[in-house]
Amino acid sequence: MSIMNEHSSITHDTQMALTPELVRQTMRPEPDLGDEPGLTPLSDQDLDDLARRLDRECGGGHLWIFAYGSLIWKPDHEAVEQRRATAFGWHRAFTLRMNRWRGSPRQHGLMMALKRGGRCDGVIYRLPDQDRIGQLRRVVLREIRYRENVDMLRWMDLHTSAGKTRALVFWAGTPPEKTGSEETLDEVAHVLARACGPAGSCAEYLYNTVLHLRQAGINDRNLWRLQELVADQIAALRDGQVTR
């Protein structure tokens, strides 16, 4: 089964299989082991330079940021306007492999990036014009963190009810060193049901993403199927029906 995201007709009264109770079963204390090995944290000067560069690239218009995952439910920036938006030619995929944050050396985690093909429905947020560089600095620190990840920033023309809107997108494409080997929803579900780090579990990340996408009126067929698979895995682990 492919991980390519597609819009579906899931109704909002359909209950999620992945419940808060199941998510709590995936949470456990994990030590903060610091930065990912082999990566160079962005310095204050790096952050200032990158924020100014992005501000220049935006030009004289408003600056919009595209949210398709955790930026929808846990933004680290202020916004003065938001709109539904669609990125054609891209889809959500759990391709970011990590041994920190929501994973550990014992069980790596997976988080979402955009991968070529299909479509991705999300939300764009407009940053306040009067503090654009400061807001950019905050969101870049939260999303990118390391010099080696700067290439994962991209400007896209997104489709909205007001026409095409240019927006800044984080993690469009995945560098080879971060790409997980998981190719099917079953394989991804195996990881998400087990991975946890100092920031929380991957099941929690999936739960919040699906929940808040639905609240925004966005239904993603593959994420919906994935939360069902993860719920089944967690329940089976609880009942001793599968090995860890």
Side-chain angles (χ1 to χ4, degrees), residues 57-230:
E57 290 175 355
C58 177
H62 298 309
L63 198 153
W64 296 84
I65 289 178
F66 183 50
Y68 57 89
S70 63
L71 278 176
I72 292 178
W73 51 269
K74 195 177 180 181
D76 194 23
H77 58 80
E78 296 178 13
V80 295
E81 185 180 355
Q82 70 181 67
R83 299 175 186 169
R84 281 277 301 273
T86 300
F88 288 104
W90 297 87
H91 66 277
R92 296 178 184 86
F94 278 87
T95 58
L96 295 180
R97 185 178 180 131
M98 60 189 62
N99 294 321
R100 303 287 191 272
W101 195 239
R102 290 187 184 270
S104 68
R106 180 166 59 91
Q107 172 59 69
H108 73 270
L110 291 170
M111 295 181 72
M112 287 191 300
L114 292 185
K115 192 174 179 180
R116 290 285 188 180
R119 65 178 281 179
C120 177
D121 296 316
V123 178
I124 54 173
Y125 295 102
R126 180 163 68 87
L127 300 186
D129 295 332
Q130 66 272 20
D131 185 33
R132 208 157 71 173
I133 291 178
Q135 296 297 320
L136 275 169
R137 197 181 189 281
R138 285 171 56 182
V139 72
V140 166
L141 177 61
R142 171 245 174 86
E143 288 293 310
I144 298 299
R145 296 184 65 85
Y146 302 106
R147 291 180 182 176
E148 291 81 1
N149 296 341
V150 171
D151 289 343
M152 294 300 101
L153 283 163
R154 183 186 299 266
W155 293 97
M156 285 188 189
D157 288 326
L158 304 177
H159 294 257
T160 76
S161 59
K164 284 189 178 181
T165 303
R166 187 168 179 253
L168 183 64
V169 184
F170 295 92
W171 295 104
T174 311
E177 67 272 12
K178 283 189 172 291
T179 303
S181 60
E182 295 76 16
E183 295 294 337
T184 69
L185 290 180
D186 286 329
E187 291 170 333
V188 171
H190 180 93
V191 174
L192 300 189
R194 292 162 173 79
C196 187
S201 72
C202 285
E204 179 192 37
Y205 172 79
L206 175 64
Y207 172 83
N208 280 323
T209 299
V210 175
L211 178 67
H212 287 80
L213 283 174
R214 296 183 79 206
Q215 291 175 354
I218 299 169
N219 296 311
D220 185 297
R221 183 176 69 183
N222 281 341
L223 283 192
W224 187 260
R225 178 56 182 153
L226 186 57
Q227 63 89 23
E228 293 176 331
L229 292 171
V230 170

Side-chain angles (χ1 to χ4, degrees), residues 6-30:
E6 297 180 26
H7 192 71
S8 76
S9 58
I10 299 166
T11 61
H12 285 278
D13 57 355
T14 304
Q15 295 297 311
M16 290 177 62
L18 185 59
T19 63
E21 179 185 0
L22 288 172
V23 169
R24 280 193 292 271
Q25 294 174 31
T26 68
M27 304 291 280
R28 58 184 178 269
E30 290 287 349

